[in-house]
Amino acid sequence: MNMLKSFENRDGWIWMNGKIIPWKDANSHIISQGLHYASAVFEGERAYNGKIFKSEEHTKRFFKSAEIIGMEIPFTHDQINKAKYELIDKMNYKNCYVRPLAWRGGNQMGLSTGESNINVAIAVWDDWATYFKIEDQKAGLRLITSPWKRPAPDTAPYEAKASGPYIICTLSKEFAEKKGYHDALMLDYRGYVAEGTGANIFFIKDKNIHTPIPDCFLNGITRQTVIEMATSQGFQITEKHLMPDEIGNYDEAFLTGTAAEITPIKSIDDFKYNTGDNTTTFKFMNDFSDMVKNAS
Ligand code: PMP
């Protein structure tokens, strides 16, 4: 698929409110609470060899996200699970990114939600074979610390993959890219290291792996998978609050996310990390790649 082609103007199909419809007809009116107030939740999933990795976990998080922001999705888990596969089949994909979205529509404007209608759609695309450019994913990313922080748990619902808080990620990403970096490291409201703009972060020193405690940001499904995988390989994983001046104590660092998968980090601000074929990160990338392709 042509990379320059906009996401709106494509051929293909989208599942929307219970039906598979032509991609170009999957429109929503501009008067909608989802668009104006970011009253929306979404998922990001990947299918490998025709099978969505951790599909059930993603569907559960989708419903949980909606529940946390007070939205009732008018479909069952089963219907969403089936819809994802129907759509992948219809699009004839084996490997693709899967994007379920639920948003408050235009039955009501303003901030009241009592009369709101809920729309649900699923789109799939195959452009994101890698989320970062393949050469950057191989060589490692350059990150810069963002001036934008992950908010406190009583400021934003951090366990929901809700659209609203993503403006913090967008601002951080824009800050990094304008300065010539690939991505940003976000700290949290207390000043602890939190995560990348769309991915969790890990640090490695020998057999020890440290990762921030997900107490104000998403405990990613990939993060949990990597923790299990590394533990089963004999690594010692510690979830801890990490101060920015500690990130120079590690040999390697990497990001994890459904889109990012496992992506090595070459530097954060002035700290440099090992990258390349001899690193633990490289081994994890290969192991993860085998795992997702062979998951049944
Ligand atoms: N943090 C943020 C801000 C994200 O957008 C994502 C991607 N969903 C993650 C972490 C990683 O989550 P997962 O591994 O479940 O994709």
Side-chain angles (χ1 to χ4, degrees):
M1 201 172 267
N2 185 344
M3 294 292 283
L4 295 174
K5 208 169 171 185
S6 92
F7 273 88
E8 291 168 335
N9 184 26
R10 291 185 172 197
D11 294 325
W13 304 94
I14 285 186
W15 183 95
M16 189 156 158
N17 292 329
K19 288 195 219 73
I20 290 184
I21 59 171
W23 186 289
K24 285 177 191 153
D25 297 343
N27 300 313
S28 170
H29 200 273
I30 64 147
I31 308 298
S32 84
Q33 289 185 311
L35 188 57
H36 292 235
Y37 312 119
S39 218
V41 295
F42 65 101
E43 261 312 311
E45 318 180 25
R46 266 188 196 274
Y48 300 90
N49 291 336
K51 172 101 181 32
I52 299 170
F53 185 65
K54 308 247 171 186
S55 176
E56 196 61 50
E57 284 86 340
H58 282 285
T59 298
K60 274 196 194 128
R61 185 169 71 185
F62 187 50
F63 278 81
K64 186 177 165 200
S65 296
E67 190 190 327
I68 290 172
I69 74 156
M71 245 169 61
E72 197 176 328
I73 292 183
F75 295 94
T76 62
H77 284 228
D78 223 32
Q79 284 172 315
I80 297 295
N81 282 334
K82 284 205 182 103
K84 291 191 281 193
Y85 278 107
E86 264 175 50
L87 187 62
I88 290 173
D89 272 357
K90 182 92 178 165
M91 291 291 277
N92 211 8
Y93 286 152
K94 288 275 174 271
N95 298 293
C96 61
Y97 184 81
V98 183
R99 168 55 57 83
L101 170 73
W103 71 102
R104 289 194 169 104
N107 270 12
Q108 182 174 22
M109 279 305 272
L111 297 174
S112 304
T113 57
E115 304 297 319
S116 300
N117 55 316
I118 311 295
N119 294 294
V120 184
I122 306 171
V124 296
W125 55 81
D126 69 349
D127 310 44
W128 289 1
T130 58
Y131 178 65
F132 294 98
K133 281 193 212 133
I134 184 86
E135 62 270 25
D136 296 336
Q137 187 168 34
K138 278 202 177 125
L141 305 179
R142 292 171 57 247
L143 268 60
I144 182 171
T145 303
S146 171
W148 298 96
K149 307 272 193 302
R150 298 303 317 166
D154 59 357
T155 305
Y158 72 95
E159 285 173 295
K161 198 165 162 60
S163 298
Y166 268 87
I167 197 64
I168 306 166
C169 307
T170 303
L171 285 163
S172 296
K173 185 82 175 175
E174 195 182 22
F175 170 83
E177 287 187 337
K178 276 199 175 143
K179 291 194 179 299
Y181 291 81
H182 300 109
D183 202 4
L185 170 70
M186 288 189 287
L187 306 181
D188 73 14
Y189 65 105
R190 297 160 294 195
Y192 292 132
V193 171
E195 58 171 351
T197 57
N200 294 119
I201 194 162
F202 286 78
F203 297 93
I204 309 180
K205 175 96 188 154
D206 305 322
K207 281 270 180 191
N208 296 308
I209 303 184
H210 293 174
T211 188
I213 301 167
D215 57 4
C216 63
F217 56 86
L218 215 56
N219 180 5
I221 291 170
T222 322
R223 178 186 181 278
Q224 296 171 46
T225 306
V226 167
I227 289 176
E228 265 173 43
M229 184 180 87
T231 306
S232 75
Q233 294 182 8
F235 288 89
Q236 180 68 42
I237 305 265
T238 312
E239 296 179 79
K240 58 180 293 207
H241 287 138
L242 267 167
M243 287 304 284
D245 63 3
E246 293 175 71
I247 64 177
N249 300 343
Y250 298 94
D251 302 325
E252 296 176 37
F254 62 88
L255 294 175
T256 64
T258 297
E261 299 173 297
I262 296 180
T263 302
I265 299 172
K266 191 158 71 178
S267 66
I268 304 177
D269 301 330
D270 293 333
F271 298 113
K272 305 239 175 332
Y273 299 102
N274 298 337
T275 54
D277 299 5
N278 295 323
T279 57
T280 300
T281 305
F282 186 76
K283 185 185 171 322
F284 285 167
M285 287 166 82
N286 286 330
D287 295 346
F288 182 80
S289 166
D290 289 345
M291 180 196 302
V292 294
K293 281 181 199 136
N294 297 321
S296 55

PDB file of all heavy atoms in Angstrom, residues 63-88:
ATOM      1  N   PHE A  63     -12.751  -2.939  26.476  1.00  0.00           N
ATOM      2  CA  PHE A  63     -13.982  -2.804  27.269  1.00  0.00           C
ATOM      3  C   PHE A  63     -13.695  -2.125  28.611  1.00  0.00           C
ATOM      4  O   PHE A  63     -14.486  -1.332  29.091  1.00  0.00           O
ATOM      5  CB  PHE A  63     -14.647  -4.172  27.459  1.00  0.00           C
ATOM      6  CG  PHE A  63     -15.488  -4.582  26.279  1.00  0.00           C
ATOM      7  CD1 PHE A  63     -14.897  -5.129  25.153  1.00  0.00           C
ATOM      8  CD2 PHE A  63     -16.860  -4.386  26.283  1.00  0.00           C
ATOM      9  CE1 PHE A  63     -15.661  -5.486  24.042  1.00  0.00           C
ATOM     10  CE2 PHE A  63     -17.639  -4.751  25.177  1.00  0.00           C
ATOM     11  CZ  PHE A  63     -17.034  -5.298  24.050  1.00  0.00           C
ATOM     12  N   LYS A  64     -12.546  -2.453  29.172  1.00  0.00           N
ATOM     13  CA  LYS A  64     -12.183  -1.850  30.462  1.00  0.00           C
ATOM     14  C   LYS A  64     -11.936  -0.345  30.290  1.00  0.00           C
ATOM     15  O   LYS A  64     -12.375   0.465  31.113  1.00  0.00           O
ATOM     16  CB  LYS A  64     -10.928  -2.540  31.013  1.00  0.00           C
ATOM     17  CG  LYS A  64     -10.566  -2.086  32.414  1.00  0.00           C
ATOM     18  CD  LYS A  64      -9.354  -2.830  32.964  1.00  0.00           C
ATOM     19  CE  LYS A  64      -8.798  -2.112  34.176  1.00  0.00           C
ATOM     20  NZ  LYS A  64      -7.415  -2.486  34.475  1.00  0.00           N
ATOM     21  N   SER A  65     -11.241   0.017  29.228  1.00  0.00           N
ATOM     22  CA  SER A  65     -10.990   1.441  28.951  1.00  0.00           C
ATOM     23  C   SER A  65     -12.316   2.185  28.853  1.00  0.00           C
ATOM     24  O   SER A  65     -12.482   3.265  29.434  1.00  0.00           O
ATOM     25  CB  SER A  65     -10.237   1.613  27.625  1.00  0.00           C
ATOM     26  OG  SER A  65      -8.969   1.026  27.687  1.00  0.00           O
ATOM     27  N   ALA A  66     -13.254   1.584  28.107  1.00  0.00           N
ATOM     28  CA  ALA A  66     -14.559   2.228  27.921  1.00  0.00           C
ATOM     29  C   ALA A  66     -15.261   2.379  29.274  1.00  0.00           C
ATOM     30  O   ALA A  66     -15.771   3.452  29.613  1.00  0.00           O
ATOM     31  CB  ALA A  66     -15.411   1.406  26.965  1.00  0.00           C
ATOM     32  N   GLU A  67     -15.219   1.307  30.060  1.00  0.00           N
ATOM     33  CA  GLU A  67     -15.882   1.335  31.369  1.00  0.00           C
ATOM     34  C   GLU A  67     -15.281   2.434  32.259  1.00  0.00           C
ATOM     35  O   GLU A  67     -16.003   3.160  32.930  1.00  0.00           O
ATOM     36  CB  GLU A  67     -15.706  -0.038  32.019  1.00  0.00           C
ATOM     37  CG  GLU A  67     -16.534  -0.240  33.254  1.00  0.00           C
ATOM     38  CD  GLU A  67     -16.119  -1.525  33.979  1.00  0.00           C
ATOM     39  OE1 GLU A  67     -15.716  -2.494  33.310  1.00  0.00           O
ATOM     40  OE2 GLU A  67     -16.185  -1.521  35.223  1.00  0.00           O
ATOM     41  N   ILE A  68     -13.951   2.546  32.233  1.00  0.00           N
ATOM     42  CA  ILE A  68     -13.277   3.540  33.074  1.00  0.00           C
ATOM     43  C   ILE A  68     -13.723   4.961  32.710  1.00  0.00           C
ATOM     44  O   ILE A  68     -13.874   5.808  33.586  1.00  0.00           O
ATOM     45  CB  ILE A  68     -11.731   3.407  32.963  1.00  0.00           C
ATOM     46  CG1 ILE A  68     -11.265   2.113  33.635  1.00  0.00           C
ATOM     47  CG2 ILE A  68     -11.012   4.613  33.573  1.00  0.00           C
ATOM     48  CD1 ILE A  68      -9.784   1.780  33.433  1.00  0.00           C
ATOM     49  N   ILE A  69     -13.957   5.213  31.418  1.00  0.00           N
ATOM     50  CA  ILE A  69     -14.412   6.569  31.069  1.00  0.00           C
ATOM     51  C   ILE A  69     -15.944   6.643  30.965  1.00  0.00           C
ATOM     52  O   ILE A  69     -16.506   7.594  30.430  1.00  0.00           O
ATOM     53  CB  ILE A  69     -13.705   7.144  29.820  1.00  0.00           C
ATOM     54  CG1 ILE A  69     -14.190   6.507  28.508  1.00  0.00           C
ATOM     55  CG2 ILE A  69     -12.183   7.046  29.932  1.00  0.00           C
ATOM     56  CD1 ILE A  69     -13.976   7.425  27.306  1.00  0.00           C
ATOM     57  N   GLY A  70     -16.609   5.634  31.512  1.00  0.00           N
ATOM     58  CA  GLY A  70     -18.066   5.687  31.656  1.00  0.00           C
ATOM     59  C   GLY A  70     -18.840   5.437  30.372  1.00  0.00           C
ATOM     60  O   GLY A  70     -19.981   5.881  30.226  1.00  0.00           O
ATOM     61  N   MET A  71     -18.221   4.717  29.440  1.00  0.00           N
ATOM     62  CA  MET A  71     -18.872   4.445  28.163  1.00  0.00           C
ATOM     63  C   MET A  71     -19.245   2.977  28.087  1.00  0.00           C
ATOM     64  O   MET A  71     -18.410   2.121  28.388  1.00  0.00           O
ATOM     65  CB  MET A  71     -17.844   4.710  27.047  1.00  0.00           C
ATOM     66  CG  MET A  71     -18.183   5.827  26.136  1.00  0.00           C
ATOM     67  SD  MET A  71     -16.764   6.261  25.077  1.00  0.00           S
ATOM     68  CE  MET A  71     -16.506   4.770  24.198  1.00  0.00           C
ATOM     69  N   GLU A  72     -20.463   2.692  27.695  1.00  0.00           N
ATOM     70  CA  GLU A  72     -20.850   1.282  27.556  1.00  0.00           C
ATOM     71  C   GLU A  72     -20.812   0.894  26.083  1.00  0.00           C
ATOM     72  O   GLU A  72     -21.579   1.436  25.274  1.00  0.00           O
ATOM     73  CB  GLU A  72     -22.245   1.076  28.137  1.00  0.00           C
ATOM     74  CG  GLU A  72     -22.508  -0.385  28.379  1.00  0.00           C
ATOM     75  CD  GLU A  72     -23.847  -0.620  29.055  1.00  0.00           C
ATOM     76  OE1 GLU A  72     -24.269   0.250  29.851  1.00  0.00           O
ATOM     77  OE2 GLU A  72     -24.467  -1.660  28.761  1.00  0.00           O
ATOM     78  N   ILE A  73     -19.933  -0.014  25.738  1.00  0.00           N
ATOM     79  CA  ILE A  73     -19.821  -0.445  24.338  1.00  0.00           C
ATOM     80  C   ILE A  73     -21.020  -1.324  23.991  1.00  0.00           C
ATOM     81  O   ILE A  73     -21.268  -2.316  24.675  1.00  0.00           O
ATOM     82  CB  ILE A  73     -18.490  -1.198  24.115  1.00  0.00           C
ATOM     83  CG1 ILE A  73     -17.341  -0.189  24.258  1.00  0.00           C
ATOM     84  CG2 ILE A  73     -18.451  -1.897  22.759  1.00  0.00           C
ATOM     85  CD1 ILE A  73     -15.970  -0.741  24.012  1.00  0.00           C
ATOM     86  N   PRO A  74     -21.778  -0.950  22.950  1.00  0.00           N
ATOM     87  CA  PRO A  74     -23.022  -1.686  22.671  1.00  0.00           C
ATOM     88  C   PRO A  74     -22.810  -2.985  21.896  1.00  0.00           C
ATOM     89  O   PRO A  74     -23.605  -3.321  21.019  1.00  0.00           O
ATOM     90  CB  PRO A  74     -23.843  -0.669  21.855  1.00  0.00           C
ATOM     91  CG  PRO A  74     -22.829   0.204  21.210  1.00  0.00           C
ATOM     92  CD  PRO A  74     -21.605   0.218  22.076  1.00  0.00           C
ATOM     93  N   PHE A  75     -21.732  -3.676  22.163  1.00  0.00           N
ATOM     94  CA  PHE A  75     -21.444  -4.987  21.557  1.00  0.00           C
ATOM     95  C   PHE A  75     -20.847  -5.874  22.644  1.00  0.00           C
ATOM     96  O   PHE A  75     -20.371  -5.369  23.659  1.00  0.00           O
ATOM     97  CB  PHE A  75     -20.469  -4.858  20.377  1.00  0.00           C
ATOM     98  CG  PHE A  75     -21.039  -4.082  19.226  1.00  0.00           C
ATOM     99  CD1 PHE A  75     -20.800  -2.716  19.115  1.00  0.00           C
ATOM    100  CD2 PHE A  75     -21.853  -4.689  18.289  1.00  0.00           C
ATOM    101  CE1 PHE A  75     -21.361  -1.980  18.076  1.00  0.00           C
ATOM    102  CE2 PHE A  75     -22.418  -3.964  17.244  1.00  0.00           C
ATOM    103  CZ  PHE A  75     -22.164  -2.599  17.139  1.00  0.00           C
ATOM    104  N   THR A  76     -20.838  -7.185  22.387  1.00  0.00           N
ATOM    105  CA  THR A  76     -20.226  -8.090  23.355  1.00  0.00           C
ATOM    106  C   THR A  76     -18.753  -8.296  22.997  1.00  0.00           C
ATOM    107  O   THR A  76     -18.332  -8.012  21.866  1.00  0.00           O
ATOM    108  CB  THR A  76     -20.922  -9.467  23.334  1.00  0.00           C
ATOM    109  OG1 THR A  76     -20.744 -10.026  22.024  1.00  0.00           O
ATOM    110  CG2 THR A  76     -22.404  -9.357  23.651  1.00  0.00           C
ATOM    111  N   HIS A  77     -17.998  -8.832  23.956  1.00  0.00           N
ATOM    112  CA  HIS A  77     -16.595  -9.189  23.704  1.00  0.00           C
ATOM    113  C   HIS A  77     -16.505 -10.084  22.473  1.00  0.00           C
ATOM    114  O   HIS A  77     -15.654  -9.925  21.617  1.00  0.00           O
ATOM    115  CB  HIS A  77     -16.004  -9.948  24.894  1.00  0.00           C
ATOM    116  CG  HIS A  77     -15.678  -9.091  26.064  1.00  0.00           C
ATOM    117  ND1 HIS A  77     -14.477  -9.157  26.724  1.00  0.00           N
ATOM    118  CD2 HIS A  77     -16.375  -8.128  26.693  1.00  0.00           C
ATOM    119  CE1 HIS A  77     -14.461  -8.289  27.709  1.00  0.00           C
ATOM    120  NE2 HIS A  77     -15.611  -7.659  27.716  1.00  0.00           N
ATOM    121  N   ASP A  78     -17.437 -11.045  22.427  1.00  0.00           N
ATOM    122  CA  ASP A  78     -17.456 -12.030  21.348  1.00  0.00           C
ATOM    123  C   ASP A  78     -17.656 -11.377  19.991  1.00  0.00           C
ATOM    124  O   ASP A  78     -16.989 -11.729  19.008  1.00  0.00           O
ATOM    125  CB  ASP A  78     -18.642 -12.967  21.634  1.00  0.00           C
ATOM    126  CG  ASP A  78     -18.262 -14.384  21.404  1.00  0.00           C
ATOM    127  OD1 ASP A  78     -17.084 -14.693  21.639  1.00  0.00           O
ATOM    128  OD2 ASP A  78     -19.147 -15.152  20.968  1.00  0.00           O
ATOM    129  N   GLN A  79     -18.577 -10.435  19.957  1.00  0.00           N
ATOM    130  CA  GLN A  79     -18.858  -9.740  18.693  1.00  0.00           C
ATOM    131  C   GLN A  79     -17.625  -8.970  18.214  1.00  0.00           C
ATOM    132  O   GLN A  79     -17.304  -8.970  17.032  1.00  0.00           O
ATOM    133  CB  GLN A  79     -20.046  -8.774  18.864  1.00  0.00           C
ATOM    134  CG  GLN A  79     -21.381  -9.487  18.896  1.00  0.00           C
ATOM    135  CD  GLN A  79     -22.514  -8.548  19.269  1.00  0.00           C
ATOM    136  OE1 GLN A  79     -22.406  -7.742  20.200  1.00  0.00           O
ATOM    137  NE2 GLN A  79     -23.614  -8.649  18.551  1.00  0.00           N
ATOM    138  N   ILE A  80     -16.932  -8.329  19.161  1.00  0.00           N
ATOM    139  CA  ILE A  80     -15.731  -7.552  18.779  1.00  0.00           C
ATOM    140  C   ILE A  80     -14.632  -8.519  18.330  1.00  0.00           C
ATOM    141  O   ILE A  80     -13.976  -8.280  17.311  1.00  0.00           O
ATOM    142  CB  ILE A  80     -15.256  -6.658  19.955  1.00  0.00           C
ATOM    143  CG1 ILE A  80     -16.339  -5.614  20.310  1.00  0.00           C
ATOM    144  CG2 ILE A  80     -13.908  -5.995  19.648  1.00  0.00           C
ATOM    145  CD1 ILE A  80     -16.644  -4.588  19.243  1.00  0.00           C
ATOM    146  N   ASN A  81     -14.458  -9.610  19.065  1.00  0.00           N
ATOM    147  CA  ASN A  81     -13.437 -10.594  18.671  1.00  0.00           C
ATOM    148  C   ASN A  81     -13.701 -11.127  17.263  1.00  0.00           C
ATOM    149  O   ASN A  81     -12.791 -11.234  16.449  1.00  0.00           O
ATOM    150  CB  ASN A  81     -13.409 -11.768  19.655  1.00  0.00           C
ATOM    151  CG  ASN A  81     -12.683 -11.404  20.941  1.00  0.00           C
ATOM    152  OD1 ASN A  81     -11.821 -10.529  20.940  1.00  0.00           O
ATOM    153  ND2 ASN A  81     -13.038 -12.054  22.035  1.00  0.00           N
ATOM    154  N   LYS A  82     -14.966 -11.452  16.992  1.00  0.00           N
ATOM    155  CA  LYS A  82     -15.323 -11.986  15.659  1.00  0.00           C
ATOM    156  C   LYS A  82     -15.141 -10.925  14.589  1.00  0.00           C
ATOM    157  O   LYS A  82     -14.637 -11.197  13.500  1.00  0.00           O
ATOM    158  CB  LYS A  82     -16.779 -12.456  15.669  1.00  0.00           C
ATOM    159  CG  LYS A  82     -16.962 -13.771  16.371  1.00  0.00           C
ATOM    160  CD  LYS A  82     -18.214 -14.492  15.853  1.00  0.00           C
ATOM    161  CE  LYS A  82     -18.408 -15.793  16.600  1.00  0.00           C
ATOM    162  NZ  LYS A  82     -19.465 -15.723  17.636  1.00  0.00           N
ATOM    163  N   ALA A  83     -15.547  -9.694  14.928  1.00  0.00           N
ATOM    164  CA  ALA A  83     -15.480  -8.593  13.944  1.00  0.00           C
ATOM    165  C   ALA A  83     -14.049  -8.364  13.489  1.00  0.00           C
ATOM    166  O   ALA A  83     -13.788  -8.135  12.305  1.00  0.00           O
ATOM    167  CB  ALA A  83     -16.063  -7.323  14.564  1.00  0.00           C
ATOM    168  N   LYS A  84     -13.110  -8.455  14.437  1.00  0.00           N
ATOM    169  CA  LYS A  84     -11.701  -8.225  14.086  1.00  0.00           C
ATOM    170  C   LYS A  84     -11.269  -9.226  13.012  1.00  0.00           C
ATOM    171  O   LYS A  84     -10.649  -8.855  12.018  1.00  0.00           O
ATOM    172  CB  LYS A  84     -10.806  -8.371  15.330  1.00  0.00           C
ATOM    173  CG  LYS A  84     -10.996  -7.249  16.348  1.00  0.00           C
ATOM    174  CD  LYS A  84      -9.934  -7.254  17.444  1.00  0.00           C
ATOM    175  CE  LYS A  84     -10.156  -8.265  18.525  1.00  0.00           C
ATOM    176  NZ  LYS A  84      -9.304  -8.047  19.727  1.00  0.00           N
ATOM    177  N   TYR A  85     -11.635 -10.495  13.228  1.00  0.00           N
ATOM    178  CA  TYR A  85     -11.213 -11.531  12.277  1.00  0.00           C
ATOM    179  C   TYR A  85     -11.956 -11.446  10.942  1.00  0.00           C
ATOM    180  O   TYR A  85     -11.377 -11.664   9.880  1.00  0.00           O
ATOM    181  CB  TYR A  85     -11.347 -12.924  12.897  1.00  0.00           C
ATOM    182  CG  TYR A  85     -10.143 -13.240  13.755  1.00  0.00           C
ATOM    183  CD1 TYR A  85     -10.224 -13.247  15.133  1.00  0.00           C
ATOM    184  CD2 TYR A  85      -8.907 -13.490  13.159  1.00  0.00           C
ATOM    185  CE1 TYR A  85      -9.101 -13.510  15.909  1.00  0.00           C
ATOM    186  CE2 TYR A  85      -7.785 -13.756  13.932  1.00  0.00           C
ATOM    187  CZ  TYR A  85      -7.888 -13.763  15.304  1.00  0.00           C
ATOM    188  OH  TYR A  85      -6.775 -14.015  16.062  1.00  0.00           O
ATOM    189  N   GLU A  86     -13.259 -11.108  11.011  1.00  0.00           N
ATOM    190  CA  GLU A  86     -14.033 -10.950   9.769  1.00  0.00           C
ATOM    191  C   GLU A  86     -13.381  -9.888   8.896  1.00  0.00           C
ATOM    192  O   GLU A  86     -13.256 -10.030   7.683  1.00  0.00           O
ATOM    193  CB  GLU A  86     -15.447 -10.464  10.102  1.00  0.00           C
ATOM    194  CG  GLU A  86     -16.480 -11.535  10.196  1.00  0.00           C
ATOM    195  CD  GLU A  86     -17.800 -10.934  10.639  1.00  0.00           C
ATOM    196  OE1 GLU A  86     -18.260  -9.935  10.070  1.00  0.00           O
ATOM    197  OE2 GLU A  86     -18.353 -11.462  11.624  1.00  0.00           O
ATOM    198  N   LEU A  87     -12.959  -8.813   9.551  1.00  0.00           N
ATOM    199  CA  LEU A  87     -12.382  -7.694   8.811  1.00  0.00           C
ATOM    200  C   LEU A  87     -11.009  -8.046   8.228  1.00  0.00           C
ATOM    201  O   LEU A  87     -10.716  -7.728   7.076  1.00  0.00           O
ATOM    202  CB  LEU A  87     -12.262  -6.480   9.744  1.00  0.00           C
ATOM    203  CG  LEU A  87     -11.832  -5.190   9.066  1.00  0.00           C
ATOM    204  CD1 LEU A  87     -12.851  -4.740   8.016  1.00  0.00           C
ATOM    205  CD2 LEU A  87     -11.623  -4.089  10.090  1.00  0.00           C
ATOM    206  N   ILE A  88     -10.210  -8.728   9.018  1.00  0.00           N
ATOM    207  CA  ILE A  88      -8.879  -9.134   8.530  1.00  0.00           C
ATOM    208  C   ILE A  88      -9.041 -10.048   7.313  1.00  0.00           C
ATOM    209  O   ILE A  88      -8.337  -9.912   6.313  1.00  0.00           O
ATOM    210  CB  ILE A  88      -8.068  -9.821   9.654  1.00  0.00           C
ATOM    211  CG1 ILE A  88      -7.677  -8.799  10.717  1.00  0.00           C
ATOM    212  CG2 ILE A  88      -6.817 -10.503   9.097  1.00  0.00           C
ATOM    213  CD1 ILE A  88      -7.022  -9.393  11.948  1.00  0.00           C
TER     214      ILE A  88
END
